[in-house]
């Protein structure tokens, strides 16, 4: 993605304000809309019937076709965008028409229908207000549900003035009235109407359309010929499944309980001489439905919620974070609908926070699919060496990090932190300082201080400590605090020296073969010693050991079995420490000294990857003895994302600014985290801004309390 385009969107004041305001209002409206409804149960049900439907999609297509034709419709199954465009063109020309009125249909954007028809002398009029604005601007939608969210009233007034030939003031009620008056003639003179559909029912051949404007009903009833352009994945078995989709879609899309209009159409409407043509679009869907790795992408109901909660979309909008379809699912669908050449850059823009997974109406692992797709795109020159040669070779990798300790000295300021880097690297320290690489990593300190375990009258559960690279080489004191805390809580802690990088930087960069090799290395190392638990202080490492290793090694049953054994005993520090909270002895430090006030930042991979949310708070309240002031959006990404903050520092820094605003608003002077990467990012921003607010890992806060 061009840095210039990213910079333009970051500096677009209206876009930033509009997206930020919507991002703040959406969760509140969504929560209210779902009151009294079990969202997890509903989306689990949708996910199940959608997945089952994909297994028999060709059969559903045949059943729907037969049912729809029995009801009087004509069904056209089109394999490609070209075939769909040609079919629609031929229907219109067959009626002697040259004017098409359209209701909102993302599938028509997908096949670039307007462009195709207008090149052949057929005028198209978008009658959805947002789509009409976009049409006048000559742009594509920046959101699947709110296509013109990036336009302000001045932009719209200028577009309407140009289109109508009269001066239009930037007054919203007047602009809406003008649109109503202008579009009304289109409804009355339109010779053919075109719509999309939100759902299609195989058993009856009926289609369901939900809209918030009356244009949908006018377009499908006033013209004597109605064309419905529908992706084949929209077909569900029957009414019960259709109602589930209609129930969840507006709530998840805009926070509405239900849309203004819900329409079911079965066969031609309006009597004699009326026609309904249903154009079923394949465009790779049938092939994708049979793909064991990526078929779940077709479970999408096109609610757009993945964009609504995405911290990257909030910064740059859909014209950067997407192609035709935007947001997280848009990144996944683009290579299958439009080719990998259109997806190479946008696939890299996902920061991996998994917020999209949390709200997806059909429970798609959007983030996981994005990461897996990176294996299929072209890689930067030198990346294979970085991961395949340098990081996979533990001794070479660690020697390089040790050498970096010397190289960093000219760039260190007072207190040892790095505030300026040379040349292009200076972008990385533009709005934050960086901690230095430690003189001695934790693994060296372990060798210097290793001692035989102290005999205990009580059997102690054995823990293998997997530190992760960042904590080992940048925060060795954090690792020491972890060991002290766990030992004080009654665990015996060992540190396997042969452990190496978990491989997630390689996996997130699309180097899956390297990630598999590193999974095997670490699996062997961590299973060599009999232990009750493997404990990490980095949620990304926890995710890697617990979730990614079994997935990466699934093609080799023996390795998968070993990886699953490792996954079963892998825990994050806060999970294991929380087991000692709430017992008769509330922990060695509880209740002693002055009560500290902190705010807590949930790491993305800890909360949404590992499902760990309450345990860190229990550790802080019951073992450390602090009071927690919850910040707004406590689980929203801090913008680190590992190498993301290096590849896209401009975006990373904007995400960080949002996080810092929420931290400062709490009034707390300490931020507690459970991720070394989050500490690096947030601490660097707060320090550079001169806030005086400190950032500490929970293990450090507990270790200090124990003293």
């Amino acid at each position: 993605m061009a840095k210039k385009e990213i910079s333009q969107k970051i500096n677009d004041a209206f876009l930033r304000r509009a997206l930020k305001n919507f991002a703040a209002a959406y969760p509140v409206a969504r929560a209210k809309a779902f009151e009294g409804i079990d969202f997890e149960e509903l989306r689990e049900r949708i996910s199940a019937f959608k997945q089952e439907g994909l297994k028999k999609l060709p059969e559903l297509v045949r059943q729907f076709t037969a049912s729809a034709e029995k009801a009087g419709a004509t069904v056209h199954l089109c394999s490609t965008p070209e075939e769909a465009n040609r079919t629609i063109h031929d229907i219109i020309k067959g009626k002697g028409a040259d004017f098409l009125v359209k209701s909102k249909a993302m599938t028509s954007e997908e096949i670039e229908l307007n462009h195709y028809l207008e090149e052949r002398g057929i005028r198209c009029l978008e009658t959805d207000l947002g789509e009409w604005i976009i049409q006048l601007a000559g742009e594509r939608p920046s959101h699947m549900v709110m296509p013109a969210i990036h336009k302000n009233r001045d932009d719209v007034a200028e577009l309407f003035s140009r289109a109508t030939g009269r001066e239009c003031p930037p007054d919203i009620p007047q602009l809406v009235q003008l649109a109503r008056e202008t579009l009304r003639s289109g409804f009355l003179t339109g010779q053919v109407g075109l719509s999309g559909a939100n759902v299609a029912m195989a058993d009856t051949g009926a289609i369901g359309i939900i809209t918030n404007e009356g244009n949908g009903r006018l377009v499908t009833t006033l013209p004597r010929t109605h064309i419905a352009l529908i992706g084949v994945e929209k077909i569900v078995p029957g009414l019960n499944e259709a109602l589930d989709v209609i129930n969840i879609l507006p709530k998840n899309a805009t926070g509405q309980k239900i849309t203004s209009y819900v329409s079911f159409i079965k066969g031609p409407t309006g009597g004699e001489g009326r026609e309904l043509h249903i154009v079923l679009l394949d465009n790779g869907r049938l092939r994708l439905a049979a793909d064991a790795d990526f078929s779940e992408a077709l479970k999408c109901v096109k609610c757009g919620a993945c964009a609504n909660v995405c911290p990257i979309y909030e910064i740059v909008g859909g014209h950067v974070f997407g192609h035709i379809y935007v947001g997280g699912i848009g990144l996944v669908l683009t290579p299958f609908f439009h080719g990998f050449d259109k997806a190479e850059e946008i696939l890299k823009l996902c920061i991996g926070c998994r917020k999209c997974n949390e709200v997806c109406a059909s429970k798609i692992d959007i983030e996981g699919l994005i990461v897996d797709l990176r294996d299929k795109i072209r890689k930067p020159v030198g990346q294979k060496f970085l991961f395949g040669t340098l990081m996979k070779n533990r001794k070479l990798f660690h020697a390089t990090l040790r050498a970096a300790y010397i190289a960093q000295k000219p760039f260190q300021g007072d207190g040892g932190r790095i505030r300026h880097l040379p040349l292009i690297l200076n972008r990385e320290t533009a709005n934050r300082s960086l901690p230095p690489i430690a003189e001695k990593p934790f693994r060296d300190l372990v060798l210097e201080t290793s001692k035989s375990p102290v005999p205990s009258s009580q059997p102690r559960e054995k823990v293998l400590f997997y530190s992760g690279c960042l904590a080992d080489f940048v925060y060795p004191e954090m690792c020491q605090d972890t060991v002290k805390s766990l030992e004080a809580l009654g665990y015996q802690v060992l540190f396997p020296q042969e452990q190496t990088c978990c491989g997630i930087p390689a996996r997130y960069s699309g180097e899956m073969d390297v990630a598999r090799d590193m999974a095997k290395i670490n699996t062997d190392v961590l299973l060599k010693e009999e232990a009750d638990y493997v404990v990490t202080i980095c949620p990304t490492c926890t995710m890697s050991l617990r979730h990614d290793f079994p997935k990466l090694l699934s093609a080799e049953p023996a390795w998968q079995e070993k990886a699953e054994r490792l996954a079963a005993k892998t825990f994050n520090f806060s999970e294991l420490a929380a087991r000692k909270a709430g017992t008769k002895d509330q922990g060695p430090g509880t209740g002693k000294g002055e009560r500290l006030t902190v705010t807590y930042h949930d790491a993305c991979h800890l909360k949404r990857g590992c499902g760990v949310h309450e345990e860190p708070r229990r550790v802080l309240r019951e073992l450390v003895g602090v009071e927690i002031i919850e910040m707004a959006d406590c689980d929203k990404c801090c913008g680190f994302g590992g190498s993301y903050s290096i590849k896209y520092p401009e975006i990373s820094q904007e995400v960080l600014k949002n996080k810092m605003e929420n931290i400062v608003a709490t009034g707390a002077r300490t931020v507690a985290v459970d991720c070394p990467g989050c500490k690096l990012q947030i601490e660097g921003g707060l320090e550079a801004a001169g806030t005086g607010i400190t950032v500490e890992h929970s293990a450090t806060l507990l270790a200090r309390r124990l003293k």
Side-chain angles (χ1 to χ4, degrees):
M1 184 61 58
K3 299 292 182 184
K4 182 179 179 182
E5 192 174 359
I6 291 173
S7 180
Q8 285 176 342
K9 298 302 180 184
I10 288 175
N11 292 312
D12 184 332
F14 172 78
L15 175 70
R16 295 294 306 281
R17 186 169 63 253
L19 294 180
K20 187 171 184 176
N21 289 344
F22 177 73
Y26 168 75
V28 178
R30 180 179 179 274
K32 188 171 181 60
F34 275 110
E35 284 177 355
I37 295 174
D38 188 331
F39 171 69
E40 288 300 327
E41 181 186 19
L42 178 57
R43 75 168 183 160
E44 187 71 55
R45 195 162 62 241
I46 292 171
S47 175
F49 71 67
K50 279 282 198 176
Q51 192 66 54
E52 188 61 31
L54 293 175
K55 294 176 185 176
K56 54 181 182 181
L57 188 54
E59 180 186 331
L60 284 176
V61 171
R62 287 191 293 270
Q63 184 185 0
F64 174 80
T65 300
S67 300
E69 290 184 338
K70 184 178 179 181
T74 303
V75 180
H76 312 260
L77 177 60
C78 299
S79 298
T80 65
E82 292 76 13
E83 187 180 350
N85 283 331
R86 187 170 61 250
T87 298
I88 294 169
H89 172 267
D90 291 348
I91 294 169
I92 297 169
K93 295 302 286 184
K95 297 299 166 188
D98 60 4
F99 180 33
L100 176 70
V101 287
K102 296 177 64 192
S103 180
K104 188 175 183 301
M106 278 303 298
T107 39
S108 75
E109 298 284 352
E110 178 185 333
I111 65 176
E112 299 182 15
L113 176 65
N114 290 11
H115 179 70
Y116 181 93
L117 294 178
E118 285 167 358
E119 276 190 337
R120 289 158 179 79
I122 295 174
R123 184 163 67 94
C124 302
L125 176 65
E126 297 286 356
T127 64
D128 174 89
L129 180 57
E131 286 285 349
W132 187 47
I133 292 168
I134 294 304
Q135 183 181 31
L136 294 177
E139 297 176 359
R140 57 181 175 81
S142 64
H143 191 284
M144 284 193 281
V145 177
M146 299 163 287
I149 191 172
H150 60 291
K151 293 292 186 186
N152 62 34
R153 67 182 72 191
D154 294 311
D155 296 332
V156 175
E158 183 181 339
L159 290 169
F160 283 10
S161 297
R162 194 188 315 153
T164 61
R166 59 196 246 205
E167 191 65 29
C168 301
D171 176 73
I172 291 176
Q174 289 189 56
L175 291 172
V176 171
Q177 181 61 30
L178 176 65
R180 185 179 289 117
E181 293 169 359
T182 305
L183 294 174
R184 187 168 294 153
S185 64
F187 296 128
L188 297 174
T189 59
Q191 299 156 306
V192 179
L194 182 137
S195 73
N198 299 100
V199 69
M201 287 155 271
D203 59 349
T204 62
I207 62 174
I209 305 173
I210 58 176
T211 61
N212 280 314
E213 299 173 29
N215 68 307
R217 287 189 176 169
L218 292 171
V219 162
T220 57
T221 57
L222 289 182
R224 298 184 69 80
T225 301
H226 170 207
I227 303 171
L229 176 60
I230 309 169
V232 293
E233 82 284 6
K234 296 287 185 68
I235 302 174
V236 298
L239 181 61
N240 288 337
E241 292 83 4
L243 290 177
D244 276 344
V245 173
I246 289 169
N247 186 12
I248 205 169
L249 209 159
K251 296 175 178 64
N252 226 34
T254 57
Q256 296 172 270
K257 285 189 177 294
I258 196 68
T259 51
S260 302
Y261 300 90
V262 178
S263 306
F264 290 102
I265 300 172
K266 180 181 176 182
T269 57
E272 189 77 22
R274 298 280 177 159
E275 293 183 13
L276 170 62
H277 291 265
I278 299 175
V279 178
L280 293 178
L281 179 65
D282 179 358
N283 192 21
R285 287 165 168 82
L286 290 171
R287 185 173 63 252
L288 179 55
D291 188 318
D293 296 324
F294 297 103
S295 64
E296 68 168 315
L298 289 177
K299 295 192 297 184
C300 175
V301 300
K302 305 296 189 301
C303 67
C306 54
N308 296 350
V309 298
C310 176
I312 309 306
Y313 178 88
E314 183 184 335
I315 300 299
V316 298
H319 288 161
V320 169
F321 200 67
H323 177 57
I324 300 296
Y325 293 104
V326 306
I329 196 63
L331 272 57
V332 176
L333 294 175
T334 294
F336 298 103
F337 292 173
H338 304 286
F340 275 87
D341 59 319
K342 300 291 194 302
E344 282 187 353
E345 293 303 318
I346 61 174
L347 281 168
K348 300 171 188 174
L349 282 171
C350 170
I351 200 169
C353 74
R354 300 177 67 85
K355 193 76 172 173
C356 51
N357 289 28
E358 189 176 54
V359 300
C360 177
S362 47
K363 211 172 181 180
I364 303 169
D365 180 13
I366 298 173
E367 188 261 357
L369 295 177
I370 291 171
V371 172
D372 289 344
L373 282 168
R374 288 175 183 162
D375 187 34
K376 300 181 179 297
I377 61 176
R378 289 178 297 178
K379 317 297 193 303
V381 176
Q383 181 171 289
K384 179 67 74 175
F385 168 79
L386 173 64
F387 294 113
T389 302
L390 181 60
M391 292 190 73
K392 202 167 87 172
N393 186 322
R394 176 175 58 85
K395 291 183 178 179
L396 178 60
F397 178 44
H398 292 169
T400 303
L401 291 174
R402 287 184 169 92
Y405 166 73
I406 304 298
Q408 73 188 351
K409 288 187 175 296
F411 310 108
Q412 290 179 261
D414 296 337
R417 293 187 69 85
I418 299 169
R419 289 181 172 79
H420 300 286
L421 287 171
L423 304 175
I424 192 172
L425 294 175
N426 192 46
R427 295 185 312 156
E428 174 63 5
T429 52
N431 289 292
R432 68 173 187 184
S433 63
L434 295 174
I437 293 173
E439 181 177 3
K440 289 184 179 181
F442 176 68
R443 60 182 55 244
D444 289 1
L445 297 175
V446 169
L447 292 174
E448 291 176 4
T449 60
S450 60
K451 56 184 183 297
S452 300
V454 177
S456 172
S457 58
Q458 297 293 327
R460 293 158 67 89
E461 292 174 299
K462 185 186 292 186
V463 168
L464 299 184
F465 177 36
Y466 184 85
S467 63
C469 307
L470 182 59
D472 190 356
F473 282 84
V474 176
Y475 297 118
E477 70 285 351
M478 184 190 296
C479 297
Q480 290 176 312
D481 291 337
T482 302
V483 174
K484 291 174 185 174
S485 297
L486 289 172
E487 288 180 340
L489 292 172
Y491 298 104
Q492 178 190 347
V493 185
L494 302 176
F495 181 83
Q497 285 283 335
E498 297 83 6
Q499 64 180 272
T500 189
C501 175
C502 68
I504 213 155
R507 182 168 181 265
Y508 271 51
S509 298
E511 298 291 348
M512 299 302 177
D513 289 339
V514 176
R516 288 186 191 94
D517 289 342
M518 297 174 93
K520 289 178 179 179
I521 292 169
N522 282 305
T523 298
D524 269 344
V525 168
L526 296 172
L527 290 180
K528 186 187 300 181
E529 178 86 31
E530 284 295 328
D532 298 290
Y533 308 107
V534 174
V535 172
T536 76
I537 51 173
C538 172
T540 307
C541 293
T542 313
M543 267 292 291
S544 195
L545 272 62
R546 202 146 86 181
H547 175 268
D548 293 347
F549 283 14
K551 181 178 178 179
L552 286 165
L553 303 178
S554 60
E556 302 175 69
W559 276 108
Q560 185 182 26
E561 186 275 330
K562 292 170 70 173
E564 287 173 349
R565 275 196 287 131
L566 174 60
K569 62 169 66 178
T570 297
F571 294 87
N572 185 268
F573 167 80
S574 62
E575 289 181 278
L576 210 58
R579 294 186 175 195
K580 304 297 183 179
T583 59
K584 187 174 182 181
D585 178 4
Q586 289 270 308
T590 304
K592 298 178 183 177
E594 186 179 346
R595 191 170 179 82
L596 178 68
T597 299
V598 306
T599 189
Y600 183 76
H601 163 70
D602 289 274
C604 299
H605 281 100
L606 189 59
K607 184 185 178 189
R608 289 181 288 276
C610 303
V612 177
H613 173 65
E614 289 301 328
E615 292 90 336
R617 289 165 170 79
R618 288 192 66 200
V619 170
L620 291 170
R621 290 191 179 105
E622 298 180 31
L623 293 178
V624 182
V626 301
E627 178 184 348
I628 301 174
I629 303 175
E630 295 287 1
M631 72 176 86
D633 292 327
C634 56
D635 64 343
K636 199 167 185 176
C637 184
C638 67
F640 178 59
S643 60
Y644 192 94
S645 61
I646 300 172
K647 295 174 183 174
Y648 298 103
E650 302 91 343
I651 299 175
S652 172
Q653 288 155 13
E654 292 302 317
V655 177
L656 174 60
K657 286 178 185 176
N658 289 341
K659 175 60 63 174
M660 288 167 54
E661 287 176 8
N662 292 336
I663 290 170
V664 171
T666 67
R669 306 307 297 166
T670 299
V671 183
V673 298
D674 275 277
C675 173
C678 295
K679 174 177 167 66
L680 182 150
Q681 175 83 342
I682 298 171
E683 183 176 60
L686 293 172
E687 196 271 347
T691 64
I693 300 173
T694 60
V695 183
E696 299 292 358
H697 195 284
S698 295
T700 296
L701 291 172
L702 181 54
R704 288 179 185 168
R705 188 66 167 171
L706 299 180
K707 288 180 180 179

